[in-house]
Short mmCIF file of all heavy atoms in Angstrom, two decimals:
data_model
loop_
_atom_site.label_atom_id
_atom_site.label_comp_id
_atom_site.label_asym_id
_atom_site.label_seq_id
_atom_site.Cartn_x
_atom_site.Cartn_y
_atom_site.Cartn_z
N MET A 15 -7.60 13.97 -9.75
CA MET A 15 -8.48 15.09 -9.38
C MET A 15 -9.11 15.66 -10.64
O MET A 15 -8.70 16.69 -11.14
CB MET A 15 -7.68 16.16 -8.65
CG MET A 15 -7.08 15.70 -7.35
SD MET A 15 -8.32 15.39 -6.08
CE MET A 15 -8.50 17.08 -5.44
N LEU A 16 -10.07 14.99 -11.17
CA LEU A 16 -10.70 15.46 -12.40
C LEU A 16 -12.13 15.93 -12.15
O LEU A 16 -12.91 16.04 -13.06
CB LEU A 16 -10.70 14.36 -13.45
CG LEU A 16 -9.34 14.11 -14.09
CD1 LEU A 16 -9.39 12.91 -14.99
CD2 LEU A 16 -8.88 15.34 -14.86
N VAL A 17 -12.41 16.18 -10.89
CA VAL A 17 -13.77 16.64 -10.58
C VAL A 17 -13.91 18.08 -11.04
O VAL A 17 -13.15 18.95 -10.66
CB VAL A 17 -14.05 16.52 -9.08
CG1 VAL A 17 -15.45 17.03 -8.77
CG2 VAL A 17 -13.90 15.08 -8.63
N MET A 18 -14.89 18.30 -11.89
CA MET A 18 -15.10 19.64 -12.40
C MET A 18 -16.49 20.12 -12.04
O MET A 18 -17.46 19.39 -12.13
CB MET A 18 -14.94 19.68 -13.91
CG MET A 18 -13.52 19.45 -14.34
SD MET A 18 -13.36 19.78 -16.09
CE MET A 18 -12.84 18.18 -16.67
N ALA A 19 -16.55 21.34 -11.64
CA ALA A 19 -17.84 21.92 -11.29
C ALA A 19 -18.48 22.52 -12.53
O ALA A 19 -18.41 23.72 -12.76
CB ALA A 19 -17.67 22.97 -10.21
N LEU A 20 -19.04 21.69 -13.32
CA LEU A 20 -19.63 22.17 -14.57
C LEU A 20 -21.15 22.16 -14.52
O LEU A 20 -21.81 22.38 -15.50
CB LEU A 20 -19.18 21.28 -15.73
CG LEU A 20 -17.71 21.41 -16.11
CD1 LEU A 20 -17.36 20.37 -17.14
CD2 LEU A 20 -17.41 22.80 -16.62
N GLY A 21 -21.68 21.90 -13.34
CA GLY A 21 -23.12 21.81 -13.26
C GLY A 21 -23.58 20.42 -13.65
O GLY A 21 -22.77 19.54 -13.91
N ASN A 22 -24.86 20.24 -13.69
CA ASN A 22 -25.34 18.89 -13.97
C ASN A 22 -25.21 18.57 -15.45
O ASN A 22 -25.08 19.44 -16.31
CB ASN A 22 -26.77 18.71 -13.48
CG ASN A 22 -27.72 19.62 -14.22
OD1 ASN A 22 -27.74 19.65 -15.45
ND2 ASN A 22 -28.52 20.37 -13.49
N VAL A 23 -25.26 17.29 -15.74
CA VAL A 23 -25.02 16.82 -17.09
C VAL A 23 -26.13 17.28 -18.04
O VAL A 23 -25.87 17.61 -19.18
CB VAL A 23 -24.90 15.29 -17.10
CG1 VAL A 23 -24.78 14.77 -18.53
CG2 VAL A 23 -23.69 14.87 -16.29
N ARG A 24 -27.34 17.33 -17.53
CA ARG A 24 -28.45 17.71 -18.40
C ARG A 24 -28.29 19.13 -18.93
O ARG A 24 -28.72 19.45 -20.02
CB ARG A 24 -29.77 17.60 -17.65
CG ARG A 24 -30.34 16.23 -17.67
CD ARG A 24 -31.70 16.25 -17.03
NE ARG A 24 -31.65 17.02 -15.78
CZ ARG A 24 -32.71 17.25 -15.02
NH1 ARG A 24 -33.87 16.80 -15.37
NH2 ARG A 24 -32.62 17.94 -13.90
N GLY A 25 -27.68 19.99 -18.11
CA GLY A 25 -27.53 21.38 -18.52
C GLY A 25 -26.36 21.60 -19.45
O GLY A 25 -26.13 22.70 -19.91
N GLN A 26 -25.64 20.54 -19.72
CA GLN A 26 -24.44 20.66 -20.53
C GLN A 26 -24.80 20.61 -22.00
O GLN A 26 -25.54 19.75 -22.43
CB GLN A 26 -23.54 19.48 -20.20
CG GLN A 26 -22.10 19.86 -20.09
CD GLN A 26 -21.29 18.66 -19.67
OE1 GLN A 26 -21.83 17.60 -19.40
NE2 GLN A 26 -20.00 18.81 -19.64
N SER A 27 -24.27 21.51 -22.74
CA SER A 27 -24.57 21.52 -24.16
C SER A 27 -23.67 20.55 -24.90
O SER A 27 -22.63 20.11 -24.39
CB SER A 27 -24.38 22.91 -24.74
OG SER A 27 -23.01 23.22 -24.79
N ALA A 28 -24.06 20.22 -26.09
CA ALA A 28 -23.25 19.35 -26.92
C ALA A 28 -21.89 19.97 -27.18
O ALA A 28 -20.89 19.28 -27.31
CB ALA A 28 -23.96 19.06 -28.24
N LEU A 29 -21.88 21.28 -27.20
CA LEU A 29 -20.61 21.97 -27.47
C LEU A 29 -19.65 21.78 -26.31
O LEU A 29 -18.45 21.63 -26.50
CB LEU A 29 -20.87 23.45 -27.71
CG LEU A 29 -21.87 23.74 -28.81
CD1 LEU A 29 -21.97 25.24 -29.04
CD2 LEU A 29 -21.50 23.02 -30.09
N ASP A 30 -20.17 21.82 -25.12
CA ASP A 30 -19.32 21.59 -23.96
C ASP A 30 -18.79 20.17 -23.96
O ASP A 30 -17.65 19.93 -23.62
CB ASP A 30 -20.11 21.83 -22.67
CG ASP A 30 -20.33 23.32 -22.42
OD1 ASP A 30 -19.53 24.11 -22.94
OD2 ASP A 30 -21.29 23.65 -21.73
N ARG A 31 -19.66 19.25 -24.36
CA ARG A 31 -19.20 17.86 -24.40
C ARG A 31 -18.11 17.69 -25.44
O ARG A 31 -17.16 16.97 -25.23
CB ARG A 31 -20.38 16.93 -24.72
CG ARG A 31 -21.32 16.78 -23.56
CD ARG A 31 -22.09 15.47 -23.68
NE ARG A 31 -22.87 15.42 -24.91
CZ ARG A 31 -24.10 15.90 -25.02
NH1 ARG A 31 -24.69 16.46 -23.99
NH2 ARG A 31 -24.75 15.83 -26.16
N LEU A 32 -18.26 18.39 -26.56
CA LEU A 32 -17.25 18.30 -27.60
C LEU A 32 -15.92 18.86 -27.10
O LEU A 32 -14.86 18.30 -27.32
CB LEU A 32 -17.72 19.06 -28.84
CG LEU A 32 -16.88 18.87 -30.09
CD1 LEU A 32 -16.88 17.42 -30.53
CD2 LEU A 32 -17.43 19.74 -31.20
N ARG A 33 -15.99 19.96 -26.37
CA ARG A 33 -14.77 20.53 -25.84
C ARG A 33 -14.13 19.57 -24.83
O ARG A 33 -12.93 19.40 -24.81
CB ARG A 33 -15.05 21.87 -25.17
CG ARG A 33 -13.75 22.61 -24.85
CD ARG A 33 -13.99 23.88 -24.11
NE ARG A 33 -14.59 23.63 -22.82
CZ ARG A 33 -15.16 24.55 -22.06
NH1 ARG A 33 -15.22 25.78 -22.47
NH2 ARG A 33 -15.68 24.24 -20.91
N GLU A 34 -14.96 18.95 -24.04
CA GLU A 34 -14.42 17.99 -23.08
C GLU A 34 -13.74 16.84 -23.79
O GLU A 34 -12.77 16.28 -23.29
CB GLU A 34 -15.54 17.45 -22.19
CG GLU A 34 -15.95 18.44 -21.13
CD GLU A 34 -16.95 17.82 -20.18
OE1 GLU A 34 -17.25 16.62 -20.33
OE2 GLU A 34 -17.42 18.55 -19.30
N ARG A 35 -14.28 16.51 -24.95
CA ARG A 35 -13.65 15.43 -25.70
C ARG A 35 -12.25 15.84 -26.15
O ARG A 35 -11.31 15.07 -26.06
CB ARG A 35 -14.51 15.04 -26.90
CG ARG A 35 -14.15 13.68 -27.43
CD ARG A 35 -15.21 13.17 -28.34
NE ARG A 35 -15.22 13.86 -29.62
CZ ARG A 35 -16.20 13.78 -30.51
NH1 ARG A 35 -17.27 13.08 -30.22
NH2 ARG A 35 -16.12 14.40 -31.64
N TYR A 36 -12.14 17.06 -26.62
CA TYR A 36 -10.81 17.54 -26.97
C TYR A 36 -9.91 17.59 -25.75
O TYR A 36 -8.74 17.23 -25.80
CB TYR A 36 -10.89 18.94 -27.60
CG TYR A 36 -11.39 18.93 -29.02
CD1 TYR A 36 -12.41 19.76 -29.42
CD2 TYR A 36 -10.80 18.08 -29.94
CE1 TYR A 36 -12.86 19.76 -30.72
CE2 TYR A 36 -11.24 18.07 -31.26
CZ TYR A 36 -12.28 18.91 -31.63
OH TYR A 36 -12.71 18.90 -32.91
N GLU A 37 -10.48 18.02 -24.64
CA GLU A 37 -9.68 18.15 -23.42
C GLU A 37 -9.20 16.79 -22.93
O GLU A 37 -8.16 16.71 -22.29
CB GLU A 37 -10.49 18.84 -22.32
CG GLU A 37 -10.63 20.32 -22.60
CD GLU A 37 -11.37 21.04 -21.49
OE1 GLU A 37 -12.00 20.36 -20.65
OE2 GLU A 37 -11.34 22.25 -21.46
N SER A 38 -9.97 15.76 -23.24
CA SER A 38 -9.57 14.44 -22.74
C SER A 38 -8.75 13.65 -23.75
O SER A 38 -8.00 12.76 -23.38
CB SER A 38 -10.81 13.64 -22.32
OG SER A 38 -11.66 13.48 -23.42
N THR A 39 -8.88 13.99 -25.04
CA THR A 39 -8.17 13.20 -26.05
C THR A 39 -7.01 13.95 -26.67
O THR A 39 -6.06 13.35 -27.16
CB THR A 39 -9.12 12.76 -27.18
OG1 THR A 39 -9.64 13.91 -27.83
CG2 THR A 39 -10.25 11.92 -26.65
N GLU A 40 -7.09 15.28 -26.66
CA GLU A 40 -6.04 16.06 -27.32
C GLU A 40 -5.20 16.77 -26.27
O GLU A 40 -5.09 17.98 -26.24
CB GLU A 40 -6.66 17.08 -28.27
CG GLU A 40 -7.48 16.46 -29.37
CD GLU A 40 -6.62 15.71 -30.38
OE1 GLU A 40 -5.43 16.00 -30.48
OE2 GLU A 40 -7.16 14.84 -31.05
N THR A 41 -4.63 15.98 -25.38
CA THR A 41 -3.89 16.58 -24.28
C THR A 41 -2.41 16.75 -24.60
O THR A 41 -1.73 17.53 -23.96
CB THR A 41 -4.02 15.71 -23.02
OG1 THR A 41 -3.61 14.38 -23.36
CG2 THR A 41 -5.43 15.70 -22.51
N LYS A 42 -1.96 16.00 -25.58
CA LYS A 42 -0.53 15.99 -25.84
C LYS A 42 -0.16 16.97 -26.94
O LYS A 42 -0.69 16.91 -28.05
CB LYS A 42 -0.10 14.57 -26.23
CG LYS A 42 1.40 14.40 -26.30
CD LYS A 42 1.74 12.94 -26.53
CE LYS A 42 3.24 12.74 -26.59
NZ LYS A 42 3.58 11.32 -26.80
N CYS A 43 0.76 17.84 -26.63
CA CYS A 43 1.21 18.83 -27.60
C CYS A 43 1.92 18.11 -28.75
O CYS A 43 2.82 17.30 -28.53
CB CYS A 43 2.15 19.82 -26.93
SG CYS A 43 2.88 21.00 -28.08
N THR A 44 1.51 18.45 -29.97
CA THR A 44 2.14 17.80 -31.12
C THR A 44 3.52 18.36 -31.39
O THR A 44 4.30 17.78 -32.13
CB THR A 44 1.26 17.96 -32.37
OG1 THR A 44 0.97 19.34 -32.54
CG2 THR A 44 -0.02 17.18 -32.22
N ALA A 45 3.82 19.51 -30.81
CA ALA A 45 5.11 20.15 -31.08
C ALA A 45 6.19 19.66 -30.11
O ALA A 45 7.31 19.36 -30.52
CB ALA A 45 4.97 21.66 -30.99
N CYS A 46 5.86 19.60 -28.81
CA CYS A 46 6.90 19.26 -27.83
C CYS A 46 6.57 18.01 -27.03
O CYS A 46 7.40 17.52 -26.28
CB CYS A 46 7.14 20.43 -26.89
SG CYS A 46 5.81 20.68 -25.70
N GLY A 47 5.35 17.50 -27.18
CA GLY A 47 5.00 16.28 -26.47
C GLY A 47 4.52 16.49 -25.05
O GLY A 47 4.23 15.53 -24.35
N TYR A 48 4.42 17.74 -24.65
CA TYR A 48 3.94 18.03 -23.30
C TYR A 48 2.48 17.61 -23.17
O TYR A 48 1.66 17.88 -24.04
CB TYR A 48 4.09 19.53 -23.02
CG TYR A 48 3.57 19.94 -21.67
CD1 TYR A 48 4.37 19.82 -20.55
CD2 TYR A 48 2.29 20.46 -21.54
CE1 TYR A 48 3.89 20.20 -19.30
CE2 TYR A 48 1.80 20.84 -20.29
CZ TYR A 48 2.61 20.71 -19.18
OH TYR A 48 2.13 21.09 -17.96
N VAL A 49 2.18 16.92 -22.07
CA VAL A 49 0.80 16.50 -21.84
C VAL A 49 0.14 17.48 -20.87
O VAL A 49 0.53 17.59 -19.71
CB VAL A 49 0.75 15.07 -21.27
CG1 VAL A 49 -0.68 14.68 -20.94
CG2 VAL A 49 1.36 14.10 -22.27
N ASP A 50 -0.82 18.19 -21.40
CA ASP A 50 -1.52 19.19 -20.59
C ASP A 50 -2.75 18.57 -19.97
O ASP A 50 -3.79 18.44 -20.60
CB ASP A 50 -1.90 20.37 -21.49
CG ASP A 50 -2.57 21.47 -20.69
OD1 ASP A 50 -2.66 21.34 -19.45
OD2 ASP A 50 -2.98 22.47 -21.30
N GLU A 51 -2.61 18.18 -18.73
CA GLU A 51 -3.74 17.49 -18.08
C GLU A 51 -4.81 18.44 -17.63
O GLU A 51 -5.89 18.03 -17.21
CB GLU A 51 -3.22 16.66 -16.90
CG GLU A 51 -2.31 15.54 -17.37
CD GLU A 51 -1.93 14.61 -16.24
OE1 GLU A 51 -2.26 14.91 -15.09
OE2 GLU A 51 -1.29 13.58 -16.53
N ASN A 52 -4.52 19.71 -17.69
CA ASN A 52 -5.55 20.68 -17.32
C ASN A 52 -6.48 21.00 -18.47
O ASN A 52 -7.52 21.60 -18.28
CB ASN A 52 -4.90 21.98 -16.84
CG ASN A 52 -4.20 21.78 -15.51
OD1 ASN A 52 -4.70 21.07 -14.64
ND2 ASN A 52 -3.04 22.37 -15.36
N GLY A 53 -6.08 20.58 -19.68
CA GLY A 53 -6.95 20.78 -20.82
C GLY A 53 -7.35 22.22 -21.02
O GLY A 53 -8.51 22.58 -20.91
N ASN A 54 -6.39 23.06 -21.29
CA ASN A 54 -6.67 24.49 -21.41
C ASN A 54 -7.26 24.85 -22.76
O ASN A 54 -6.77 25.74 -23.45
CB ASN A 54 -5.38 25.29 -21.20
CG ASN A 54 -4.87 25.14 -19.78
OD1 ASN A 54 -5.60 25.38 -18.83
ND2 ASN A 54 -3.63 24.71 -19.63
N TRP A 55 -8.32 24.16 -23.11
CA TRP A 55 -8.96 24.46 -24.38
C TRP A 55 -9.96 25.60 -24.19
O TRP A 55 -10.69 25.64 -23.21
CB TRP A 55 -9.69 23.23 -24.91
CG TRP A 55 -8.76 22.22 -25.48
CD1 TRP A 55 -8.12 21.24 -24.78
CD2 TRP A 55 -8.33 22.10 -26.83
NE1 TRP A 55 -7.32 20.52 -25.64
CE2 TRP A 55 -7.44 21.02 -26.89
CE3 TRP A 55 -8.63 22.81 -28.00
CZ2 TRP A 55 -6.83 20.63 -28.09
CZ3 TRP A 55 -8.04 22.42 -29.18
CH2 TRP A 55 -7.15 21.34 -29.22
N THR A 56 -9.97 26.47 -25.14
CA THR A 56 -11.01 27.50 -25.14
C THR A 56 -11.85 27.31 -26.39
O THR A 56 -11.40 26.73 -27.38
CB THR A 56 -10.40 28.91 -25.16
OG1 THR A 56 -9.58 29.04 -26.31
CG2 THR A 56 -9.57 29.15 -23.91
N SER A 57 -13.05 27.79 -26.35
CA SER A 57 -13.92 27.67 -27.51
C SER A 57 -14.56 29.02 -27.79
O SER A 57 -14.90 29.75 -26.88
CB SER A 57 -14.99 26.61 -27.28
OG SER A 57 -15.75 26.92 -26.14
N GLU A 58 -14.64 29.32 -29.06
CA GLU A 58 -15.39 30.51 -29.45
C GLU A 58 -16.23 30.17 -30.66
O GLU A 58 -15.89 29.30 -31.45
CB GLU A 58 -14.49 31.70 -29.75
CG GLU A 58 -13.06 31.39 -30.01
CD GLU A 58 -12.24 32.65 -30.25
OE1 GLU A 58 -12.47 33.27 -31.29
OE2 GLU A 58 -11.41 32.97 -29.41
N THR A 59 -17.32 30.88 -30.78
CA THR A 59 -18.20 30.60 -31.89
C THR A 59 -18.70 31.90 -32.49
O THR A 59 -18.81 32.91 -31.80
CB THR A 59 -19.41 29.75 -31.44
OG1 THR A 59 -20.25 29.52 -32.56
CG2 THR A 59 -20.20 30.46 -30.36
N ASP A 60 -18.92 31.85 -33.79
CA ASP A 60 -19.53 33.01 -34.44
C ASP A 60 -20.95 32.66 -34.89
O ASP A 60 -21.54 33.35 -35.69
CB ASP A 60 -18.68 33.47 -35.63
CG ASP A 60 -18.56 32.42 -36.70
OD1 ASP A 60 -19.20 31.35 -36.58
OD2 ASP A 60 -17.82 32.65 -37.67
N GLY A 61 -21.45 31.55 -34.40
CA GLY A 61 -22.79 31.13 -34.74
C GLY A 61 -22.83 30.14 -35.88
O GLY A 61 -23.80 29.41 -36.06
N ARG A 62 -21.78 30.08 -36.68
CA ARG A 62 -21.73 29.16 -37.80
C ARG A 62 -20.70 28.07 -37.58
O ARG A 62 -20.79 26.99 -38.15
CB ARG A 62 -21.39 29.90 -39.09
CG ARG A 62 -22.49 30.82 -39.53
CD ARG A 62 -22.16 31.44 -40.87
NE ARG A 62 -23.38 31.95 -41.48
CZ ARG A 62 -24.17 31.21 -42.24
NH1 ARG A 62 -23.87 29.96 -42.50
NH2 ARG A 62 -25.26 31.73 -42.76
N LYS A 63 -19.72 28.38 -36.81
CA LYS A 63 -18.72 27.38 -36.51
C LYS A 63 -18.16 27.64 -35.12
O LYS A 63 -18.32 28.73 -34.57
CB LYS A 63 -17.58 27.42 -37.54
CG LYS A 63 -16.78 28.70 -37.53
CD LYS A 63 -15.72 28.67 -38.61
CE LYS A 63 -14.76 29.84 -38.51
NZ LYS A 63 -15.41 31.15 -38.57
N ILE A 64 -17.54 26.62 -34.59
CA ILE A 64 -16.89 26.77 -33.30
C ILE A 64 -15.42 26.50 -33.50
O ILE A 64 -15.04 25.56 -34.20
CB ILE A 64 -17.44 25.77 -32.28
CG1 ILE A 64 -18.95 25.81 -32.28
CG2 ILE A 64 -16.90 26.07 -30.90
CD1 ILE A 64 -19.54 24.61 -31.61
N VAL A 65 -14.61 27.32 -32.91
CA VAL A 65 -13.17 27.11 -32.98
C VAL A 65 -12.68 26.76 -31.59
O VAL A 65 -12.83 27.54 -30.65
CB VAL A 65 -12.45 28.36 -33.51
CG1 VAL A 65 -10.94 28.12 -33.55
CG2 VAL A 65 -12.96 28.73 -34.89
N TYR A 66 -12.12 25.58 -31.48
CA TYR A 66 -11.50 25.16 -30.23
C TYR A 66 -10.02 25.42 -30.34
O TYR A 66 -9.38 25.05 -31.31
CB TYR A 66 -11.76 23.67 -29.98
CG TYR A 66 -13.21 23.38 -29.74
CD1 TYR A 66 -14.04 23.00 -30.79
CD2 TYR A 66 -13.74 23.50 -28.47
CE1 TYR A 66 -15.39 22.75 -30.57
CE2 TYR A 66 -15.09 23.25 -28.24
CZ TYR A 66 -15.90 22.87 -29.29
OH TYR A 66 -17.22 22.62 -29.08
N HIS A 67 -9.49 26.04 -29.32
CA HIS A 67 -8.14 26.55 -29.39
C HIS A 67 -7.37 26.14 -28.14
O HIS A 67 -7.88 26.21 -27.04
CB HIS A 67 -8.19 28.08 -29.52
CG HIS A 67 -6.86 28.69 -29.80
ND1 HIS A 67 -6.46 29.88 -29.28
CD2 HIS A 67 -5.83 28.26 -30.56
CE1 HIS A 67 -5.23 30.17 -29.70
NE2 HIS A 67 -4.84 29.20 -30.48
N HIS A 68 -6.15 25.71 -28.36
CA HIS A 68 -5.32 25.32 -27.22
C HIS A 68 -3.92 25.88 -27.40
O HIS A 68 -3.36 25.83 -28.49
CB HIS A 68 -5.25 23.78 -27.14
CG HIS A 68 -4.37 23.30 -26.04
ND1 HIS A 68 -3.05 22.95 -26.22
CD2 HIS A 68 -4.62 23.12 -24.72
CE1 HIS A 68 -2.54 22.57 -25.07
NE2 HIS A 68 -3.46 22.66 -24.14
N VAL A 69 -3.39 26.41 -26.32
CA VAL A 69 -2.02 26.89 -26.34
C VAL A 69 -1.22 26.05 -25.35
O VAL A 69 -1.58 25.94 -24.18
CB VAL A 69 -1.93 28.38 -25.97
CG1 VAL A 69 -0.47 28.83 -25.91
CG2 VAL A 69 -2.69 29.22 -26.97
N CYS A 70 -0.16 25.46 -25.84
CA CYS A 70 0.66 24.62 -25.00
C CYS A 70 1.34 25.47 -23.93
O CYS A 70 2.02 26.44 -24.24
CB CYS A 70 1.71 23.91 -25.85
SG CYS A 70 2.88 22.96 -24.87
N PRO A 71 1.16 25.10 -22.65
CA PRO A 71 1.79 25.87 -21.58
C PRO A 71 3.30 25.67 -21.51
O PRO A 71 4.01 26.42 -20.84
CB PRO A 71 1.11 25.36 -20.30
CG PRO A 71 0.60 24.02 -20.67
CD PRO A 71 0.33 24.02 -22.14
N SER A 72 3.78 24.67 -22.22
CA SER A 72 5.21 24.39 -22.18
C SER A 72 5.97 25.12 -23.28
O SER A 72 6.97 25.79 -23.02
CB SER A 72 5.43 22.88 -22.30
OG SER A 72 6.79 22.59 -22.31
N CYS A 73 5.50 25.01 -24.52
CA CYS A 73 6.25 25.61 -25.63
C CYS A 73 5.49 26.71 -26.33
O CYS A 73 6.04 27.41 -27.18
CB CYS A 73 6.65 24.53 -26.64
SG CYS A 73 5.29 23.92 -27.64
N GLY A 74 4.22 26.88 -25.99
CA GLY A 74 3.45 27.98 -26.57
C GLY A 74 2.85 27.67 -27.93
O GLY A 74 2.23 28.54 -28.54
N ALA A 75 3.04 26.45 -28.42
CA ALA A 75 2.45 26.09 -29.70
C ALA A 75 0.93 26.09 -29.58
O ALA A 75 0.38 25.65 -28.58
CB ALA A 75 2.94 24.71 -30.12
N SER A 76 0.28 26.60 -30.61
CA SER A 76 -1.17 26.64 -30.55
C SER A 76 -1.76 25.66 -31.55
O SER A 76 -1.19 25.40 -32.61
CB SER A 76 -1.68 28.06 -30.84
OG SER A 76 -1.33 28.43 -32.14
N ARG A 77 -2.87 25.12 -31.15
CA ARG A 77 -3.60 24.19 -32.02
C ARG A 77 -5.03 24.66 -32.10
O ARG A 77 -5.57 25.21 -31.14
CB ARG A 77 -3.57 22.78 -31.43
CG ARG A 77 -2.25 22.09 -31.60
CD ARG A 77 -2.34 20.67 -31.11
NE ARG A 77 -2.42 20.62 -29.65
CZ ARG A 77 -2.85 19.57 -28.97
NH1 ARG A 77 -3.24 18.50 -29.61
NH2 ARG A 77 -2.89 19.58 -27.67
N GLU A 78 -5.64 24.39 -33.22
CA GLU A 78 -7.03 24.77 -33.40
C GLU A 78 -7.80 23.66 -34.10
O GLU A 78 -7.29 23.02 -35.00
CB GLU A 78 -7.14 26.03 -34.27
CG GLU A 78 -7.06 27.30 -33.50
CD GLU A 78 -7.31 28.51 -34.40
OE1 GLU A 78 -7.69 28.31 -35.57
OE2 GLU A 78 -7.13 29.62 -33.92
N PHE A 79 -8.99 23.47 -33.64
CA PHE A 79 -9.92 22.60 -34.35
C PHE A 79 -11.16 23.41 -34.65
O PHE A 79 -11.69 24.08 -33.77
CB PHE A 79 -10.31 21.39 -33.50
CG PHE A 79 -9.20 20.39 -33.33
CD1 PHE A 79 -8.43 20.38 -32.19
CD2 PHE A 79 -8.95 19.46 -34.32
CE1 PHE A 79 -7.41 19.46 -32.03
CE2 PHE A 79 -7.93 18.52 -34.16
CZ PHE A 79 -7.16 18.53 -33.02
N THR A 80 -11.60 23.34 -35.87
CA THR A 80 -12.82 24.06 -36.23
C THR A 80 -13.94 23.07 -36.44
O THR A 80 -13.78 22.07 -37.14
CB THR A 80 -12.60 24.87 -37.52
OG1 THR A 80 -11.52 25.77 -37.31
CG2 THR A 80 -13.84 25.65 -37.88
N TYR A 81 -15.02 23.34 -35.81
CA TYR A 81 -16.19 22.48 -35.91
C TYR A 81 -17.33 23.28 -36.52
O TYR A 81 -17.72 24.31 -35.99
CB TYR A 81 -16.58 21.97 -34.52
CG TYR A 81 -17.76 21.05 -34.51
CD1 TYR A 81 -17.63 19.72 -34.86
CD2 TYR A 81 -19.03 21.52 -34.14
CE1 TYR A 81 -18.71 18.87 -34.86
CE2 TYR A 81 -20.12 20.68 -34.13
CZ TYR A 81 -19.95 19.35 -34.49
OH TYR A 81 -21.04 18.52 -34.49
N ARG A 82 -17.79 22.82 -37.66
CA ARG A 82 -18.86 23.54 -38.35
C ARG A 82 -20.21 23.15 -37.80
O ARG A 82 -20.51 21.98 -37.63
CB ARG A 82 -18.83 23.20 -39.84
CG ARG A 82 -17.92 24.08 -40.62
CD ARG A 82 -17.92 23.62 -42.05
NE ARG A 82 -16.54 23.35 -42.49
CZ ARG A 82 -15.83 24.23 -43.18
NH1 ARG A 82 -16.37 25.35 -43.54
NH2 ARG A 82 -14.60 23.97 -43.52
N LEU A 83 -21.02 24.14 -37.56
CA LEU A 83 -22.37 23.88 -37.10
C LEU A 83 -23.28 23.67 -38.31
O LEU A 83 -23.15 24.36 -39.31
CB LEU A 83 -22.89 25.06 -36.28
CG LEU A 83 -22.09 25.36 -35.02
CD1 LEU A 83 -22.58 26.66 -34.42
CD2 LEU A 83 -22.23 24.24 -34.02
N ASN A 84 -24.15 22.70 -38.17
CA ASN A 84 -25.07 22.44 -39.27
C ASN A 84 -26.34 23.23 -39.08
O ASN A 84 -27.28 22.78 -38.44
CB ASN A 84 -25.37 20.93 -39.35
CG ASN A 84 -24.17 20.15 -39.79
OD1 ASN A 84 -23.46 20.54 -40.72
ND2 ASN A 84 -23.89 19.05 -39.11
N LEU A 85 -26.34 24.41 -39.61
CA LEU A 85 -27.50 25.28 -39.41
C LEU A 85 -28.31 25.42 -40.70
O LEU A 85 -29.21 26.23 -40.78
CB LEU A 85 -27.03 26.67 -38.96
CG LEU A 85 -26.30 26.70 -37.62
CD1 LEU A 85 -25.80 28.10 -37.33
CD2 LEU A 85 -27.20 26.23 -36.50
N ASP A 86 -27.94 24.66 -41.71
CA ASP A 86 -28.61 24.82 -43.00
C ASP A 86 -30.05 24.39 -42.95
O ASP A 86 -30.90 24.94 -43.62
CB ASP A 86 -27.88 24.01 -44.07
CG ASP A 86 -26.48 24.55 -44.30
OD1 ASP A 86 -26.26 25.72 -43.95
OD2 ASP A 86 -25.63 23.81 -44.79
N ARG A 87 -30.32 23.37 -42.15
CA ARG A 87 -31.69 22.86 -42.09
C ARG A 87 -32.26 23.07 -40.71
O ARG A 87 -31.59 22.82 -39.76
CB ARG A 87 -31.73 21.38 -42.41
CG ARG A 87 -31.40 21.12 -43.83
CD ARG A 87 -31.08 19.67 -44.08
NE ARG A 87 -30.50 19.52 -45.43
CZ ARG A 87 -31.22 19.25 -46.51
NH1 ARG A 87 -32.50 19.10 -46.40
NH2 ARG A 87 -30.65 19.14 -47.67
ZN1 ZN B 7 4.25 22.15 -26.57
#
């Protein structure tokens, strides 16, 4: 059951796709090995970078990935 109501693909931003990539590839907690199939990743941005954040529902360990936006040019 991976059907998600995210709207059509054209309306999806690259950032959403990047988050989906984390949700599909970074499902396993590095601390306890729990596989979170719900992909509880959140993303926040300050305009210069995006921080993807995940909290393991099993042990509470948090992981973060920071993605820098290329706004220089
Ligand atoms: Zn865990």
Side-chain angles (χ1 to χ4, degrees):
M15 297 291 275
L16 285 173
V17 179
M18 291 190 241
L20 290 173
N22 64 51
V23 174
R24 275 186 314 177
Q26 221 176 356
S27 71
L29 305 185
D30 286 336
R31 287 204 301 273
L32 190 62
R33 191 184 64 195
E34 284 186 3
R35 198 165 73 193
Y36 284 130
E37 287 183 346
S38 60
T39 62
E40 299 291 337
T41 54
K42 189 173 180 179
C43 175
T44 53
C46 73
Y48 178 84
V49 176
D50 183 3
E51 295 187 353
N52 291 321
N54 294 306
W55 285 87
T56 58
S57 58
E58 18 182 291
T59 180
D60 62 4
R62 292 185 161 272
K63 64 182 189 303
I64 310 163
V65 179
Y66 294 93
H67 189 217
H68 178 264
V69 176
C70 175
S72 178
C73 73
S76 64
R77 285 185 288 162
E78 272 186 8
F79 289 98
T80 302
Y81 181 79
R82 273 177 235 262
L83 299 172
N84 291 316
L85 297 176
D86 296 338
R87 292 165 192 268

